[in-house]
Amino acid sequence: MERYLYLRNLISELLEESPLVSEEVVADIRHLLRVGEEGLAFDTMCSWIYEDSLPITLAYYGRLVSAAQELGIPRSTDKLDELIVG
């Protein structure tokens, strides 16, 4: 239970700080977190950041990579380094 809450909080924090602006996408990701689909929620968030070519900072990218490692889905952050800005 502790790990579940930790991962849920981690992804929630990343979502709050993400460059995503679509309320529908954010709502979908929150729904996935509520039903216990942390990995899918994280992968969905990363996919939308990439698909929408949203700029991210190097620090935020590092946090995404770290979270992907903790979730055991490191490929979720593939290509996100292309979106890093100053």
Side-chain angles (χ1 to χ4, degrees), residues 7 16-17 24 27 30-31 38 50 54 57-58 68 71-72 76:
L7 292 174
E16 290 301 316
E17 296 172 33
E24 186 177 322
R30 286 190 179 129
H31 171 74
E38 295 80 18
Y50 184 76
L54 300 171
T57 65
L58 181 58
L71 288 160
S76 291

Side-chain angles (χ1 to χ4, degrees), residues 30-48:
R30 286 190 179 129
H31 171 74
L32 290 169
L33 286 172
R34 277 193 303 276
V35 298
E37 293 288 345
E38 295 80 18
L40 184 55
F42 181 79
D43 191 60
T44 300
M45 179 177 65
C46 291
S47 293
W48 275 106

Side-chain angles (χ1 to χ4, degrees), residues 15-84:
L15 179 60
E16 290 301 316
E17 296 172 33
S18 79
L20 294 170
V21 292
S22 169
E23 290 181 26
E24 186 177 322
V25 169
V26 171
D28 286 347
I29 294 167
R30 286 190 179 129
H31 171 74
L32 290 169
L33 286 172
R34 277 193 303 276
V35 298
E37 293 288 345
E38 295 80 18
L40 184 55
F42 181 79
D43 191 60
T44 300
M45 179 177 65
C46 291
S47 293
W48 275 106
I49 291 170
Y50 184 76
E51 288 297 318
D52 288 348
S53 298
L54 300 171
I56 57 175
T57 65
L58 181 58
Y60 185 73
Y61 171 73
R63 291 177 59 212
L64 289 173
V65 169
S66 178
Q69 293 293 331
E70 285 203 53
L71 288 160
I73 49 174
R75 298 206 55 160
S76 291
T77 56
D78 283 358
K79 298 186 181 183
L80 287 181
D81 60 330
E82 298 172 10
L83 304 174
I84 296 172

